[in-house]
Amino acid sequence: MTDTPETLEDRARRTAVEWHVRLTSGAVSAETAAAFAAWRRADAAHEQAYQDITQLWQVLPEPLLADRRRRLASAKRRRASGVLRRGWSATAAASLLLAALAGFYPDYLQHPLADYRTRIGEQSSITLADGSIVHLNTDTAIDVSINGNERRIELLRGEAEFDVAHDASRPFRVATGTTTTEALGTRFIVRHDGKAGAVTLLQGKVRSSRPSAHGAQTDSATLQPGQQLAFGTGPLGTPQTVELNGTDAWRRGRLLMNFVPLKQVIAEINRYRRSQIRLLDDKLAEREVNIAVDIQNIDAWLTALEQTLPIKVVRAGPLIFLRS
């Protein structure tokens, strides 16, 4: 997968969300209704996208609908009392639209000024000025700074594999939050979701460290090939041996997971999908499964899942629900 522009289908869905928010967040003028009708008639894809959104609205779990109803009721009370009577409609519509877009297009709103980034479902490879190669996985953003003293990458979000060119005079460091990993001639993967992450060593040697508030290193660990170091807000853990075939399977367009709860599988798969999969059964969420998924053909895996396990796949517009 490589960087691609927004598809016509994505654009139709995004616009359908905008229309749904606009039409359900307050009074609709005749002009707005006419413009909406014209948009629906303009292309069969527009009509289908809006049908998908309305179908999704009908099957959303009740807590989500109740929350939306409370928001709209509160807004109507404010309008009835005359508070911000003229300004509320535009402000509320903008807020709701932003929330809707954040739900369907979160990657468009995060780190827009990063040096390099991928959208959800995209992967790309970058050759840096020093000859090192960075492979970006889905929904990933990095900043790059290379000078005469240091080669520094800041992983802002996501997951990347680093194939580091040897240069003894300029250390190669990857920073994720407060944790910095220095390559000692190597190939490794760093993953970070903003709160926690992991470093996995494929080849060579790396050292991860976390400085104190005064700049002195107080916590560090050196990894050997086949080891993974998890990190969060606390002290660094102890490197653990992992199965590398599954760790870097995304580089080959695959997801491989063995004996893990279905909820963990779904969370991983959802990193690659703009159309999210949701579990509706707590017991089903804890069921252990083994998977080998083609990232570019996740729907085929869903079909196989329904055929091999007592699972029902319910498709509702851009969302997919799994239940027993």
Side-chain angles (χ1 to χ4, degrees), residues 51-53 55-57 59-60 314-321:
Q51 291 295 333
D52 287 346
I53 293 301
Q55 182 183 6
L56 168 62
W57 178 259
V59 301
L60 281 176
V314 180
R315 291 175 169 82
L319 289 184
I320 293 177
F321 296 92

Side-chain angles (χ1 to χ4, degrees), residues 28 48 133 171 192 198 245:
V28 178
Q48 183 61 55
I133 300 175
H192 189 230
N245 188 50

Side-chain angles (χ1 to χ4, degrees), residues 196-250:
V199 179
T200 306
L201 183 59
L202 305 176
Q203 182 180 337
K205 184 182 293 186
V206 298
R207 180 175 57 248
S208 295
S209 60
R210 173 168 294 167
S212 71
H214 302 291
Q217 288 187 359
T218 59
D219 199 7
S220 65
T222 300
L223 280 69
Q224 302 298 327
Q227 289 187 328
Q228 183 178 86
L229 176 69
F231 59 85
T233 57
L236 295 178
T238 301
Q240 303 292 323
T241 300
V242 295
E243 175 54 59
L244 295 183
N245 188 50
T247 302
D248 68 347
W250 60 269

Side-chain angles (χ1 to χ4, degrees), residues 147-279:
N147 54 44
N149 300 316
E150 180 188 40
R151 298 168 291 169
R152 187 176 184 84
I153 311 296
E154 185 173 0
L155 179 63
L156 303 169
R157 175 183 177 83
E159 183 175 25
E161 179 180 315
F162 301 91
D163 192 349
V164 182
H166 179 70
D167 186 344
S169 65
R170 293 188 297 175
F172 188 100
R173 300 185 176 106
V174 178
T176 50
T178 59
T179 300
T180 299
T181 299
E182 181 174 338
L184 307 174
T186 190
R187 189 164 61 92
F188 62 105
I189 295 173
V190 183
R191 178 169 169 172
H192 189 230
D193 65 4
K195 297 179 180 179
V199 179
T200 306
L201 183 59
L202 305 176
Q203 182 180 337
K205 184 182 293 186
V206 298
R207 180 175 57 248
S208 295
S209 60
R210 173 168 294 167
S212 71
H214 302 291
Q217 288 187 359
T218 59
D219 199 7
S220 65
T222 300
L223 280 69
Q224 302 298 327
Q227 289 187 328
Q228 183 178 86
L229 176 69
F231 59 85
T233 57
L236 295 178
T238 301
Q240 303 292 323
T241 300
V242 295
E243 175 54 59
L244 295 183
N245 188 50
T247 302
D248 68 347
W250 60 269
R251 289 274 291 109
R252 303 183 297 277
R254 306 277 286 174
L255 293 179
L256 304 177
M257 304 176 75
N258 295 318
F259 301 105
V260 297
L262 184 58
K263 63 181 180 182
Q264 184 177 336
V265 169
I266 297 305
E268 187 68 17
I269 286 176
N270 278 341
R271 295 175 62 215
Y272 299 84
R273 290 179 61 90
R274 196 171 299 284
S275 304
Q276 297 283 280
I277 302 172
R278 305 286 176 83
L279 286 166

Side-chain angles (χ1 to χ4, degrees), residues 302-318:
L302 287 169
T303 299
L305 187 70
E306 192 172 29
Q307 293 174 347
T308 57
L309 293 176
I311 292 176
K312 176 65 175 178
V313 178
V314 180
R315 291 175 169 82

Side-chain angles (χ1 to χ4, degrees), residues 2 12 31 48 66 69 73 79 88 97 110 117 120 125 143 172 177 181 231 244 247 277-278 280 297 301 309 312 319:
T2 57
E31 293 79 3
Q48 183 61 55
R69 294 190 193 104
R79 294 170 67 192
W88 182 87
L97 175 57
Q110 299 193 53
R117 60 193 296 225
I120 292 174
S125 296
D143 280 339
F172 188 100
T181 299
F231 59 85
L244 295 183
T247 302
I277 302 172
R278 305 286 176 83
L280 300 180
N297 196 10
W301 174 76
L309 293 176
K312 176 65 175 178
L319 289 184

